Amino acid sequence: MDLIHDGKTRKVHQDPESADREIVEFTDSIALDDEKAESITGKAELVYRMTDFLLGYLEGKGVDTHFIRSLESPKILVRKVDIYPVLVVCRNIATKSFCLRSGVDEGTVLEKPLVEFFLISDRLHNPLITERAIETIGLVKDEILHFMRAVTLSVNYYLVELLKQQSLVLADFRLEFGITKAGHIVVADELSLDNMSIWDKGAPYMNFDEIKGKEEEFIQAYGKLVDLITRTKPEEVSNRNEILQVIVKPKDGIRNPPGEVTKKMLVRMGFGDAEDVRVGKVFNIILRRPITSEILHQLNIMNIKLLSNPISEKHEVSYG
Amino acid sequence: MSIAVIRFPGTNNDDDVMRALRQIPAAKPYLVPSRKGLAGLQDAEGIIIPGGFSYGDYMRAGAVAAMEVISAGIRDLAEDGKPVLGISNGFQILAEAGLLPGALLPNVSARFICRWVYLRVSDQPSIFTENLENAVIRLPIAHAEGNYFCSEDYLIALEGEKRIPFKYCNAQGEITEDSNPNGSIENIAGVINQKGNVLGMMSHPERATRQILGSTDGLEILENFVRAIR
Amino acid sequence: MISKDELQIATKTLGRDFTETELRMIEALWSEHCSYKSSKRWFYLFKTTADNVALGVGEGAGLFDIGGGYYAGVSMDSHNHPSQIDPYNGAGSGIGGTIRNVISQGCKAVGLMNCLRFGHPQKPKNALSLSNAVRGISDYGNSVGIPMVGGEMEFDESFEDNCLVNIVCIGCVKSENVVRSIARTPGHHIVIFGSKTGCDGVGGVIFASNVISDSKDWSTSAIQIGDSLAEKVLIDTLTELLEEHLIDGLQDIGGGGLAAAAGDLAHSGGTGVEIELDKVPTRGVVNPSDIIISESQERMLAIIAPTNMDRVKTLLEKNDTPYAVIGKVTDDGYYTAKYEGEIIAKLPISLLVDGVLIPERVEGKIPSQTDSLSWFKEPDDYGSAIMNLISSVNICDRSWIYSQYDQHVQSNTVVDIGQNAGVLEFPNGRLLAFTSDCNSFWCKLDPQVGTANSAAESLRNIVSMGARPIFIANCLNFGSPEKPDSYAQFVESVRGLGRFSHDFNIPIIGGNVSLYNEALVDGQNRRINPSPQIMLAGIFKEKFSPIKRNLVTPWANIFLVGETFPELNGSEFQRVIVGEVKGEPPKYRPNWEKKTMDAILESHDRGLIRSCNNVGRGGIAIALMKMALRSEYGFKLNMEYIPGTVNSLAQSLFSETSSRYLAEVTESNQPEFLSILEKHELATCELGLTTLEPTADFGRFTIPLEKAKMEFSDGLGKYLG
């Protein structure tokens, strides 16, 4: 097996059977900031079990991930993707860096989940970056960012609801996304304590920063958590509604009589600044499953076939 | 000459078309609810899609009906060379289904419009306008989206291939801006497909089939339609 | 809202306290809108019976025998309050409800009319309300496939806070296919079909039985949202059910919801009903007492014999129409409502439908008016006075509005809107004319005379076309019955209509009363002009072609039939020139009206008249202009001698004396025409000739018709866009 990538917490190998797949092998290392500091025997196995269970669960709920199936521990088989150069972070509880940056007290429950983006760059220490900046410097297209945000929020919902069964709270997590050869944008990450922070009874379930000298305890606690998680009942988490919004607008240069009439009326009612009005339509399409590239692809076909008339109208989709 | 008259949910001129066709001895019209799908078209030698508001026209006139199974059957029969006539909403459905070029946009007034109009019939022969070449005929219109639009290229093609049988005109037969009720490009009131067997028109021939209604010009078009079935 | 007295009486009758559901049912059925508790007591004044009346007032629609085994049906309804709050949905759902009234008698709906009253459209908010109401009617009426054949429109400040939207639906049914709104046989199933029941329209009738006020927060739930596609599918489904005679009783679910619909069915059948509310197909409603009074649109309630049940289910399923068997007709005289097996209401039908406490109402005194013309002065420029009238909103061209209505669907329309009446061909080959009128300014000055004269104007519309009047439907729009001055207007108006119906022997077979059309605005009470909207239908003799009002021949004579008096109080001339109406409105003269009617009809029968117009709003001047504006011809007149007692040119031109007609008669027909007038002892004069010249030449002044046409046709468009 050719080693494609040797990371801190995992190694990535080429799948000998298919050029489009790779094998992820988890390691016992623990990433503490950017130094490869600790290695605890048994951790790889726990990461493997947790990721296997949670990615399988998300796939079952319809989230598109890179996960194909588990191989012998601690390896999983995944689709090969090109990773987008941003990390997506979703927060339910204010912790560490967010508290430092916002002045909010550690442990504050956020009113609604917050999605943030970070630039993947070891050199710059993965800094926070705004969506506008990502788009402006041409890192990732706006529509793809919106897609990542929507999927991240779905993932958040499904994880939160699942953990709730064991009275656990998902404080925050981060995800990488990638695009497959076939053009599907998928969640391309593990799901373990390496990229999630889980709280129990108002405090972090465990803290990576304080494990020195407590390796035994750490592994026991981690193992107990994985046991708890793998004993949850995915079928009891109900599917969440997602809204896809299709906006159909008259093409530029095509006359828009409803707009002209509306403009006339606006002017007559005293809104003389209305220079031009163009009337379109909005379709709110409610899904009972997470958004995927395939769904957007189908929607695009529907847009051309039904929702808009390509001769005179253009359309755009928004979601989340 | 068995003619399928298609009724989608919301079609409301089906009775009118049936009644008008019954005035023509050779015509054997039968009503086909769209839910019957392809089976409803089995015996059809010609098809008329009447006006109305298929599926409420809630989304875009004709768009939903164009996606129905029966519309695929209409396409097959059209490709077979059977005559197909779409009136008003029927025209909108044919355009949405791609059987006729172009699109029917909202009227320039942005309002529904019902009134009598004059049409100038093209001097070029078509199966639908036999004996009417160059005539000025009078028919009613009733629609909110009858503003015919197509790209410049298509327009040239339509003109070149003599596929514009009707244009809106005044009582004297002059094709003027004032006589254009809905803003249609080049006053186009109807178009024919390349093969010459599918006609879409916004005005209602079936509503001008008895003297008491104010005109019988529409009957002649329907008679031509029946004659075209061979 | 139910009053304390009402509640006390009701509790005493029932012998126990009401459940919540019962209270809401009572509240709905005892509302003015459902119970007619202030108005019903006066209906005895109307002529309601005649040989040809097959079904009088009381059910969804009145039915009138038009021969050949066919009945014409008519229903007239108001949707004023909802249209004030949401003109688009209010007006649209008004169309839907009126149609369902007619189809609930087994009729095919063959024509619609709408009568609108709004504030002056020069105010953008009024223009917007009006154009939205028209769009609502257009979107709904056009898509259900029923032609618009007529209507009426009037503008006045008084309608700014209470617009009026009155709808007429005309139907046609073979006599053997009539369905009644009766639940006569215990054991029969009660089936609801059409749209699902939602929260929209909960408490609509209570809303419509109160004064609109800004302080009260009428949530949007009192507004019904119409779905024209559902209505069309409902109509198509119902047609199939009726063709197979599967329905034993049928009622539209309208005002008062399921409480009223099932209650009325049981009441007319002398039976009872048992309804299981949890079986009603719903969308988003959970509260059983909401289900029972929801006024969601596009729903019908049918009584089905057990033997027909399977076939009914098949047809409903085939048409994808939501339905449910929700109960049974019983013989116990009770309205029993259950929810999940538990009885949540059990009221005697007699109490629910008939038990309403008849409230005491005080009839105030109508202020008397003078016949003084002291305000009147001859205008300096007659031509511009006529132009002002022609372009004024109450006279100008209405085609901006009615061109938005499909007038030709069903292919029975013989005369489009824009004439004195719309004309439809019925399946028995007969032509019927339909018109509607109301001059609310006359009614404001003298409700009794104004109402009778409004009806007379409708009559002349019909007669001028050559039809004989056959039946009346009405919609009486007034202010609060709790206020003596307003109540007096209502009662006087009913007297006026009652007089007219007896004078002319025309039965009233359909009607509706809409009270509480007043609003508190900034602490001020604003009430509508009394508006008794009168719809009149007429029938033509066989093979007669309806006569229109546009001039059709050059060099024909124009005759004025009837005498003219200086009746300018309450006239459009007064309103436009002085800016208000005051004084005694034109008198109601039934004898003269009858004579001119007989003479005109006789002349029509003999084919003597080429075109004919009724002299109404705006007097001779406007009647003449309307004859010329839609024709290729002009006229040249001599107005120096006009029979009657007018003593100036302006009085001749603008007096609104009733019982007058203008007729275009060719030279060769004159002797016969004049002999008919003489036989009926009618005064007449030859005003002049039609000309090829497109000029309106009144002798002392002329108006170029081209210019008049522009002013006339742009009268509404200039405000509405």
Side-chain angles (χ1 to χ4, degrees), chain B residues 158-183:
Chain B
L158 287 175
E159 298 268 14
E161 292 164 21
K162 324 287 183 203
R163 286 162 54 192
I164 306 171
F166 308 116
K167 288 191 173 188
Y168 299 109
C169 66
N170 62 19
Q172 288 72 44
E174 297 153 351
I175 295 157
T176 61
E177 210 179 307
D178 282 352
S179 56
N180 186 341
N182 51 26

PDB file of all heavy atoms in Angstrom, chain B residues 158-183:
ATOM      1  N   LEU B 158     -38.563  31.034 -38.112  1.00  0.00           N
ATOM      2  CA  LEU B 158     -40.018  30.933 -38.225  1.00  0.00           C
ATOM      3  C   LEU B 158     -40.518  31.691 -39.441  1.00  0.00           C
ATOM      4  O   LEU B 158     -41.345  31.207 -40.210  1.00  0.00           O
ATOM      5  CB  LEU B 158     -40.689  31.495 -36.962  1.00  0.00           C
ATOM      6  CG  LEU B 158     -40.594  30.660 -35.687  1.00  0.00           C
ATOM      7  CD1 LEU B 158     -41.188  31.415 -34.508  1.00  0.00           C
ATOM      8  CD2 LEU B 158     -41.300  29.321 -35.858  1.00  0.00           C
ATOM      9  N   GLU B 159     -40.014  32.913 -39.597  1.00  0.00           N
ATOM     10  CA  GLU B 159     -40.437  33.728 -40.735  1.00  0.00           C
ATOM     11  C   GLU B 159     -40.022  33.029 -42.035  1.00  0.00           C
ATOM     12  O   GLU B 159     -40.818  32.895 -42.956  1.00  0.00           O
ATOM     13  CB  GLU B 159     -39.780  35.123 -40.690  1.00  0.00           C
ATOM     14  CG  GLU B 159     -40.152  35.957 -39.458  1.00  0.00           C
ATOM     15  CD  GLU B 159     -41.358  36.857 -39.688  1.00  0.00           C
ATOM     16  OE1 GLU B 159     -42.073  36.660 -40.695  1.00  0.00           O
ATOM     17  OE2 GLU B 159     -41.589  37.756 -38.847  1.00  0.00           O
ATOM     18  N   GLY B 160     -38.758  32.568 -42.061  1.00  0.00           N
ATOM     19  CA  GLY B 160     -38.214  31.960 -43.271  1.00  0.00           C
ATOM     20  C   GLY B 160     -38.958  30.688 -43.650  1.00  0.00           C
ATOM     21  O   GLY B 160     -39.221  30.421 -44.822  1.00  0.00           O
ATOM     22  N   GLU B 161     -39.321  29.909 -42.626  1.00  0.00           N
ATOM     23  CA  GLU B 161     -39.985  28.630 -42.906  1.00  0.00           C
ATOM     24  C   GLU B 161     -41.496  28.768 -42.962  1.00  0.00           C
ATOM     25  O   GLU B 161     -42.202  27.769 -42.984  1.00  0.00           O
ATOM     26  CB  GLU B 161     -39.560  27.602 -41.836  1.00  0.00           C
ATOM     27  CG  GLU B 161     -38.097  27.215 -41.947  1.00  0.00           C
ATOM     28  CD  GLU B 161     -37.594  26.520 -40.688  1.00  0.00           C
ATOM     29  OE1 GLU B 161     -38.423  25.993 -39.926  1.00  0.00           O
ATOM     30  OE2 GLU B 161     -36.368  26.528 -40.463  1.00  0.00           O
ATOM     31  N   LYS B 162     -41.976  30.002 -42.947  1.00  0.00           N
ATOM     32  CA  LYS B 162     -43.422  30.261 -43.073  1.00  0.00           C
ATOM     33  C   LYS B 162     -44.196  29.525 -41.991  1.00  0.00           C
ATOM     34  O   LYS B 162     -45.163  28.829 -42.270  1.00  0.00           O
ATOM     35  CB  LYS B 162     -43.956  29.832 -44.453  1.00  0.00           C
ATOM     36  CG  LYS B 162     -43.003  30.064 -45.608  1.00  0.00           C
ATOM     37  CD  LYS B 162     -42.921  31.534 -45.935  1.00  0.00           C
ATOM     38  CE  LYS B 162     -42.012  31.752 -47.139  1.00  0.00           C
ATOM     39  NZ  LYS B 162     -41.465  33.115 -47.165  1.00  0.00           N
ATOM     40  N   ARG B 163     -43.726  29.640 -40.784  1.00  0.00           N
ATOM     41  CA  ARG B 163     -44.378  28.909 -39.697  1.00  0.00           C
ATOM     42  C   ARG B 163     -45.176  29.824 -38.781  1.00  0.00           C
ATOM     43  O   ARG B 163     -45.452  29.480 -37.646  1.00  0.00           O
ATOM     44  CB  ARG B 163     -43.319  28.132 -38.905  1.00  0.00           C
ATOM     45  CG  ARG B 163     -42.819  26.918 -39.687  1.00  0.00           C
ATOM     46  CD  ARG B 163     -41.521  26.413 -39.147  1.00  0.00           C
ATOM     47  NE  ARG B 163     -41.606  26.137 -37.721  1.00  0.00           N
ATOM     48  CZ  ARG B 163     -40.549  25.901 -36.952  1.00  0.00           C
ATOM     49  NH1 ARG B 163     -39.341  25.919 -37.474  1.00  0.00           N
ATOM     50  NH2 ARG B 163     -40.702  25.651 -35.669  1.00  0.00           N
ATOM     51  N   ILE B 164     -45.510  31.017 -39.277  1.00  0.00           N
ATOM     52  CA  ILE B 164     -46.339  31.933 -38.476  1.00  0.00           C
ATOM     53  C   ILE B 164     -47.671  32.125 -39.198  1.00  0.00           C
ATOM     54  O   ILE B 164     -47.809  32.989 -40.050  1.00  0.00           O
ATOM     55  CB  ILE B 164     -45.635  33.285 -38.288  1.00  0.00           C
ATOM     56  CG1 ILE B 164     -44.240  33.057 -37.706  1.00  0.00           C
ATOM     57  CG2 ILE B 164     -46.454  34.202 -37.387  1.00  0.00           C
ATOM     58  CD1 ILE B 164     -43.376  34.287 -37.668  1.00  0.00           C
ATOM     59  N   PRO B 165     -48.673  31.298 -38.882  1.00  0.00           N
ATOM     60  CA  PRO B 165     -49.922  31.373 -39.632  1.00  0.00           C
ATOM     61  C   PRO B 165     -50.785  32.590 -39.284  1.00  0.00           C
ATOM     62  O   PRO B 165     -51.555  33.036 -40.123  1.00  0.00           O
ATOM     63  CB  PRO B 165     -50.645  30.081 -39.244  1.00  0.00           C
ATOM     64  CG  PRO B 165     -50.093  29.732 -37.903  1.00  0.00           C
ATOM     65  CD  PRO B 165     -48.685  30.201 -37.890  1.00  0.00           C
ATOM     66  N   PHE B 166     -50.654  33.082 -38.042  1.00  0.00           N
ATOM     67  CA  PHE B 166     -51.532  34.185 -37.629  1.00  0.00           C
ATOM     68  C   PHE B 166     -50.736  35.313 -36.984  1.00  0.00           C
ATOM     69  O   PHE B 166     -49.837  35.048 -36.175  1.00  0.00           O
ATOM     70  CB  PHE B 166     -52.559  33.724 -36.580  1.00  0.00           C
ATOM     71  CG  PHE B 166     -53.351  32.517 -36.970  1.00  0.00           C
ATOM     72  CD1 PHE B 166     -53.246  31.338 -36.250  1.00  0.00           C
ATOM     73  CD2 PHE B 166     -54.223  32.564 -38.057  1.00  0.00           C
ATOM     74  CE1 PHE B 166     -53.987  30.206 -36.596  1.00  0.00           C
ATOM     75  CE2 PHE B 166     -54.973  31.434 -38.408  1.00  0.00           C
ATOM     76  CZ  PHE B 166     -54.846  30.262 -37.682  1.00  0.00           C
ATOM     77  N   LYS B 167     -51.116  36.546 -37.355  1.00  0.00           N
ATOM     78  CA  LYS B 167     -50.579  37.711 -36.631  1.00  0.00           C
ATOM     79  C   LYS B 167     -51.744  38.608 -36.232  1.00  0.00           C
ATOM     80  O   LYS B 167     -52.715  38.745 -36.973  1.00  0.00           O
ATOM     81  CB  LYS B 167     -49.605  38.485 -37.528  1.00  0.00           C
ATOM     82  CG  LYS B 167     -48.284  37.760 -37.742  1.00  0.00           C
ATOM     83  CD  LYS B 167     -47.262  38.672 -38.395  1.00  0.00           C
ATOM     84  CE  LYS B 167     -45.894  37.976 -38.436  1.00  0.00           C
ATOM     85  NZ  LYS B 167     -44.844  38.890 -38.893  1.00  0.00           N
ATOM     86  N   TYR B 168     -51.627  39.227 -35.052  1.00  0.00           N
ATOM     87  CA  TYR B 168     -52.666  40.155 -34.600  1.00  0.00           C
ATOM     88  C   TYR B 168     -52.683  41.366 -35.530  1.00  0.00           C
ATOM     89  O   TYR B 168     -51.628  41.882 -35.907  1.00  0.00           O
ATOM     90  CB  TYR B 168     -52.399  40.620 -33.174  1.00  0.00           C
ATOM     91  CG  TYR B 168     -52.384  39.486 -32.169  1.00  0.00           C
ATOM     92  CD1 TYR B 168     -51.199  39.073 -31.582  1.00  0.00           C
ATOM     93  CD2 TYR B 168     -53.559  38.816 -31.833  1.00  0.00           C
ATOM     94  CE1 TYR B 168     -51.178  38.022 -30.668  1.00  0.00           C
ATOM     95  CE2 TYR B 168     -53.548  37.767 -30.924  1.00  0.00           C
ATOM     96  CZ  TYR B 168     -52.351  37.370 -30.340  1.00  0.00           C
ATOM     97  OH  TYR B 168     -52.334  36.326 -29.442  1.00  0.00           O
ATOM     98  N   CYS B 169     -53.892  41.815 -35.901  1.00  0.00           N
ATOM     99  CA  CYS B 169     -53.999  42.962 -36.800  1.00  0.00           C
ATOM    100  C   CYS B 169     -55.244  43.760 -36.429  1.00  0.00           C
ATOM    101  O   CYS B 169     -55.988  43.384 -35.528  1.00  0.00           O
ATOM    102  CB  CYS B 169     -54.093  42.476 -38.242  1.00  0.00           C
ATOM    103  SG  CYS B 169     -55.603  41.558 -38.586  1.00  0.00           S
ATOM    104  N   ASN B 170     -55.462  44.859 -37.108  1.00  0.00           N
ATOM    105  CA  ASN B 170     -56.689  45.619 -36.865  1.00  0.00           C
ATOM    106  C   ASN B 170     -57.781  45.162 -37.842  1.00  0.00           C
ATOM    107  O   ASN B 170     -57.556  44.258 -38.657  1.00  0.00           O
ATOM    108  CB  ASN B 170     -56.420  47.122 -36.939  1.00  0.00           C
ATOM    109  CG  ASN B 170     -55.921  47.560 -38.309  1.00  0.00           C
ATOM    110  OD1 ASN B 170     -56.100  46.838 -39.295  1.00  0.00           O
ATOM    111  ND2 ASN B 170     -55.292  48.723 -38.372  1.00  0.00           N
ATOM    112  N   ALA B 171     -58.961  45.777 -37.741  1.00  0.00           N
ATOM    113  CA  ALA B 171     -60.101  45.317 -38.532  1.00  0.00           C
ATOM    114  C   ALA B 171     -59.807  45.385 -40.026  1.00  0.00           C
ATOM    115  O   ALA B 171     -60.395  44.653 -40.829  1.00  0.00           O
ATOM    116  CB  ALA B 171     -61.336  46.152 -38.200  1.00  0.00           C
ATOM    117  N   GLN B 172     -58.884  46.265 -40.396  1.00  0.00           N
ATOM    118  CA  GLN B 172     -58.540  46.412 -41.816  1.00  0.00           C
ATOM    119  C   GLN B 172     -57.457  45.407 -42.242  1.00  0.00           C
ATOM    120  O   GLN B 172     -57.055  45.388 -43.397  1.00  0.00           O
ATOM    121  CB  GLN B 172     -58.033  47.840 -42.097  1.00  0.00           C
ATOM    122  CG  GLN B 172     -59.115  48.918 -42.060  1.00  0.00           C
ATOM    123  CD  GLN B 172     -59.596  49.209 -40.650  1.00  0.00           C
ATOM    124  OE1 GLN B 172     -58.817  49.330 -39.722  1.00  0.00           O
ATOM    125  NE2 GLN B 172     -60.915  49.285 -40.481  1.00  0.00           N
ATOM    126  N   GLY B 173     -56.958  44.637 -41.283  1.00  0.00           N
ATOM    127  CA  GLY B 173     -55.943  43.642 -41.626  1.00  0.00           C
ATOM    128  C   GLY B 173     -54.525  44.164 -41.521  1.00  0.00           C
ATOM    129  O   GLY B 173     -53.570  43.470 -41.884  1.00  0.00           O
ATOM    130  N   GLU B 174     -54.368  45.386 -41.025  1.00  0.00           N
ATOM    131  CA  GLU B 174     -53.014  45.930 -40.884  1.00  0.00           C
ATOM    132  C   GLU B 174     -52.401  45.456 -39.570  1.00  0.00           C
ATOM    133  O   GLU B 174     -53.039  45.505 -38.519  1.00  0.00           O
ATOM    134  CB  GLU B 174     -53.055  47.469 -40.898  1.00  0.00           C
ATOM    135  CG  GLU B 174     -53.564  48.040 -42.182  1.00  0.00           C
ATOM    136  CD  GLU B 174     -54.218  49.411 -41.982  1.00  0.00           C
ATOM    137  OE1 GLU B 174     -54.420  49.834 -40.816  1.00  0.00           O
ATOM    138  OE2 GLU B 174     -54.535  50.050 -42.990  1.00  0.00           O
ATOM    139  N   ILE B 175     -51.139  45.016 -39.676  1.00  0.00           N
ATOM    140  CA  ILE B 175     -50.457  44.503 -38.488  1.00  0.00           C
ATOM    141  C   ILE B 175     -49.798  45.677 -37.775  1.00  0.00           C
ATOM    142  O   ILE B 175     -48.712  46.121 -38.152  1.00  0.00           O
ATOM    143  CB  ILE B 175     -49.450  43.417 -38.898  1.00  0.00           C
ATOM    144  CG1 ILE B 175     -50.244  42.239 -39.483  1.00  0.00           C
ATOM    145  CG2 ILE B 175     -48.605  42.959 -37.716  1.00  0.00           C
ATOM    146  CD1 ILE B 175     -49.462  41.366 -40.397  1.00  0.00           C
ATOM    147  N   THR B 176     -50.490  46.212 -36.800  1.00  0.00           N
ATOM    148  CA  THR B 176     -50.019  47.430 -36.123  1.00  0.00           C
ATOM    149  C   THR B 176     -49.744  47.146 -34.655  1.00  0.00           C
ATOM    150  O   THR B 176     -50.214  46.147 -34.114  1.00  0.00           O
ATOM    151  CB  THR B 176     -51.104  48.526 -36.176  1.00  0.00           C
ATOM    152  OG1 THR B 176     -52.262  48.018 -35.497  1.00  0.00           O
ATOM    153  CG2 THR B 176     -51.472  48.881 -37.604  1.00  0.00           C
ATOM    154  N   GLU B 177     -49.014  48.059 -34.027  1.00  0.00           N
ATOM    155  CA  GLU B 177     -48.716  47.898 -32.614  1.00  0.00           C
ATOM    156  C   GLU B 177     -49.986  47.959 -31.775  1.00  0.00           C
ATOM    157  O   GLU B 177     -50.151  47.208 -30.819  1.00  0.00           O
ATOM    158  CB  GLU B 177     -47.737  48.989 -32.186  1.00  0.00           C
ATOM    159  CG  GLU B 177     -46.830  48.541 -31.051  1.00  0.00           C
ATOM    160  CD  GLU B 177     -45.857  49.641 -30.664  1.00  0.00           C
ATOM    161  OE1 GLU B 177     -45.164  50.163 -31.563  1.00  0.00           O
ATOM    162  OE2 GLU B 177     -45.829  49.987 -29.473  1.00  0.00           O
ATOM    163  N   ASP B 178     -50.891  48.865 -32.160  1.00  0.00           N
ATOM    164  CA  ASP B 178     -52.142  49.026 -31.411  1.00  0.00           C
ATOM    165  C   ASP B 178     -52.991  47.761 -31.415  1.00  0.00           C
ATOM    166  O   ASP B 178     -53.793  47.543 -30.504  1.00  0.00           O
ATOM    167  CB  ASP B 178     -52.986  50.153 -32.031  1.00  0.00           C
ATOM    168  CG  ASP B 178     -52.449  51.508 -31.617  1.00  0.00           C
ATOM    169  OD1 ASP B 178     -51.551  51.540 -30.751  1.00  0.00           O
ATOM    170  OD2 ASP B 178     -52.928  52.522 -32.158  1.00  0.00           O
ATOM    171  N   SER B 179     -52.834  46.963 -32.443  1.00  0.00           N
ATOM    172  CA  SER B 179     -53.692  45.780 -32.534  1.00  0.00           C
ATOM    173  C   SER B 179     -53.077  44.572 -31.834  1.00  0.00           C
ATOM    174  O   SER B 179     -53.660  43.503 -31.816  1.00  0.00           O
ATOM    175  CB  SER B 179     -53.974  45.453 -34.003  1.00  0.00           C
ATOM    176  OG  SER B 179     -52.761  45.286 -34.709  1.00  0.00           O
ATOM    177  N   ASN B 180     -51.900  44.759 -31.267  1.00  0.00           N
ATOM    178  CA  ASN B 180     -51.236  43.668 -30.549  1.00  0.00           C
ATOM    179  C   ASN B 180     -51.741  43.651 -29.106  1.00  0.00           C
ATOM    180  O   ASN B 180     -51.449  44.552 -28.331  1.00  0.00           O
ATOM    181  CB  ASN B 180     -49.722  43.920 -30.593  1.00  0.00           C
ATOM    182  CG  ASN B 180     -48.918  42.780 -30.006  1.00  0.00           C
ATOM    183  OD1 ASN B 180     -49.446  41.959 -29.265  1.00  0.00           O
ATOM    184  ND2 ASN B 180     -47.639  42.735 -30.323  1.00  0.00           N
ATOM    185  N   PRO B 181     -52.518  42.660 -28.708  1.00  0.00           N
ATOM    186  CA  PRO B 181     -53.173  42.734 -27.396  1.00  0.00           C
ATOM    187  C   PRO B 181     -52.261  42.407 -26.219  1.00  0.00           C
ATOM    188  O   PRO B 181     -52.586  42.748 -25.089  1.00  0.00           O
ATOM    189  CB  PRO B 181     -54.277  41.685 -27.503  1.00  0.00           C
ATOM    190  CG  PRO B 181     -53.744  40.674 -28.466  1.00  0.00           C
ATOM    191  CD  PRO B 181     -52.878  41.439 -29.443  1.00  0.00           C
ATOM    192  N   ASN B 182     -51.139  41.724 -26.476  1.00  0.00           N
ATOM    193  CA  ASN B 182     -50.389  41.195 -25.338  1.00  0.00           C
ATOM    194  C   ASN B 182     -48.889  41.429 -25.404  1.00  0.00           C
ATOM    195  O   ASN B 182     -48.161  41.015 -24.502  1.00  0.00           O
ATOM    196  CB  ASN B 182     -50.677  39.700 -25.195  1.00  0.00           C
ATOM    197  CG  ASN B 182     -50.483  38.953 -26.510  1.00  0.00           C
ATOM    198  OD1 ASN B 182     -49.714  39.407 -27.367  1.00  0.00           O
ATOM    199  ND2 ASN B 182     -51.177  37.855 -26.676  1.00  0.00           N
ATOM    200  N   GLY B 183     -48.419  42.077 -26.468  1.00  0.00           N
ATOM    201  CA  GLY B 183     -46.990  42.367 -26.561  1.00  0.00           C
ATOM    202  C   GLY B 183     -46.187  41.318 -27.311  1.00  0.00           C
ATOM    203  O   GLY B 183     -44.955  41.359 -27.313  1.00  0.00           O
TER     204      GLY B 183
END
